[in-house]
Amino acid sequence: RFMLKAINRAEVKMLSTQHEALFWFVDKVLFDKLPSMLVQVVGLFTVSVNARSKSKASRRTFVVQRNLRFSFNHPRKPCVFDLKGVGKSRRVPS
């Protein structure tokens, strides 16, 4: 039903500064039946992990979104999608 997406600092800053406009838009979509292809943002979370050997904490920010394809014959096991190509080279061989 939901997707967890890792986001970078620029995206965190945009969501933090534009949250009022985003919530207004989602309100219009939900209650006034405004058509939209924008994915609903459910939450924004920062996870910090303190390593025992390091004094610096590792931080990662995630956004939780509704999965638009959940009802389309979803598998019983969870799938991992690399939407932006972060895990692999973004270039396609020609």
Side-chain angles (χ1 to χ4, degrees):
R1 292 181 184 246
F2 300 101
M3 284 186 5
L4 186 67
K5 176 184 167 196
I7 58 175
N8 60 31
R9 289 182 186 165
E11 291 170 318
V12 171
K13 185 176 180 181
M14 189 278 303
L15 284 172
S16 299
T17 57
Q18 300 293 323
H19 67 276
E20 286 184 28
L22 180 64
F23 289 142
W24 176 86
F25 183 75
V26 170
D27 178 73
K28 293 292 183 190
V29 169
L30 290 176
F31 299 110
D32 295 343
K33 305 297 184 207
L34 185 69
S36 173
M37 292 298 291
L38 184 66
V39 175
Q40 262 185 326
V41 174
V42 179
L44 182 66
F45 300 93
T46 300
V47 178
S48 297
V49 177
N50 293 327
R52 292 180 190 221
S53 62
K54 297 180 182 178
S55 61
K56 186 177 180 184
S58 174
R59 293 177 52 183
R60 194 68 195 245
T61 304
F62 297 93
V63 63
V64 179
Q65 301 173 329
R66 284 195 181 257
N67 186 355
L68 294 177
R69 298 190 61 177
F70 177 73
S71 62
F72 300 126
N73 299 325
H74 63 87
R76 295 288 178 212
K77 60 183 180 178
C79 295
V80 176
F81 297 99
D82 187 8
L83 300 176
K84 293 186 191 176
V86 175
K88 295 191 172 219
S89 174
R90 294 180 187 213
R91 305 231 185 255
V92 176
S94 54

